[in-house]
């Protein structure tokens, strides 16, 4: 029996080789400067007041940027007690529009609301909602 292994290496992200497909993709992405200027906490409080009758910002719910999360734009999960955490991916959302950032935040806030009001049972998602 003969076994053949094909190993395909992806070039490192810091490569400057013109022929590197990965390098070309990273060069074409443009960071949205408006995202850097958004205060995530203020937006969270504003949306909590408008859409959730101030429930989220008056409860033990936190919203934060994640610099390590790269597989999805947002995540909502429950910590011990009833502490709900919303994390948004800075590496992914910095290339998106402000509208997409706001929609992602609202999407995760809905999950936090459902967690905190017991309308979404914890067995449904094992205490976590991803994307």
């Amino acid at each position: 029996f003969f076994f053949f292994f094909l190993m395909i290496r992806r070039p490192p992200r810091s490569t400057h080789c013109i022929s590197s497909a990965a390098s070309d993709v990273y060069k074409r992405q443009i960071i949205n400067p408006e995202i850097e200027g958004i205060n995530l906490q203020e937006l969270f409080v504003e949306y909590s007041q408008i859409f959730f009758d101030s429930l989220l910002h008056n409860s033990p719910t936190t919203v934060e940027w994640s610099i390590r999360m790269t597989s999805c734009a947002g995540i909502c999960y429950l910590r011990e007690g009833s502490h709900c955490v919303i994390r948004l991916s800075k590496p992914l959302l910095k290339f998106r529009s402000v509208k997409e950032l706001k929609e992602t935040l609202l999407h995760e806030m809905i999950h936090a609301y459902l967690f905190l009001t017991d309308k979404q049972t914890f067995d449904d998602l094992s205490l976590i909602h991803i994307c």
Side-chain angles (χ1 to χ4, degrees), residues 45-59:
V45 170
E46 179 184 343
Y47 285 170
S48 176
Q49 292 170 343
I50 294 170
F51 300 111
F52 302 99
D53 199 28
S54 299
L55 172 74
L56 295 181
H57 77 274
N58 288 328
S59 68

Side-chain angles (χ1 to χ4, degrees), residues 38-49:
I38 289 182
N39 184 324
L40 200 54
Q41 189 62 38
E42 286 179 7
L43 193 59
F44 171 74
V45 170
E46 179 184 343
Y47 285 170
S48 176
Q49 292 170 343

Side-chain angles (χ1 to χ4, degrees), residues 83-101:
H83 185 104
C84 204
V85 178
I86 297 172
R87 283 197 177 147
L88 300 181
S89 169
K90 196 156 200 167
L92 294 178
L93 291 171
K94 70 182 179 182
F95 298 109
R96 302 290 178 203
S97 68
V98 173
K99 179 181 182 247
E100 289 173 301
L101 166 70

Side-chain angles (χ1 to χ4, degrees), residues 43-83:
L43 193 59
F44 171 74
V45 170
E46 179 184 343
Y47 285 170
S48 176
Q49 292 170 343
I50 294 170
F51 300 111
F52 302 99
D53 199 28
S54 299
L55 172 74
L56 295 181
H57 77 274
N58 288 328
S59 68
T61 302
T62 57
V63 61
E64 56 196 35
W65 285 111
S66 171
I67 58 170
R68 294 177 25 182
M69 192 167 63
T70 58
S71 61
C72 64
I75 185 173
C76 178
Y77 63 93
L78 214 59
R79 285 193 177 153
E80 292 179 25
S82 293
H83 185 104

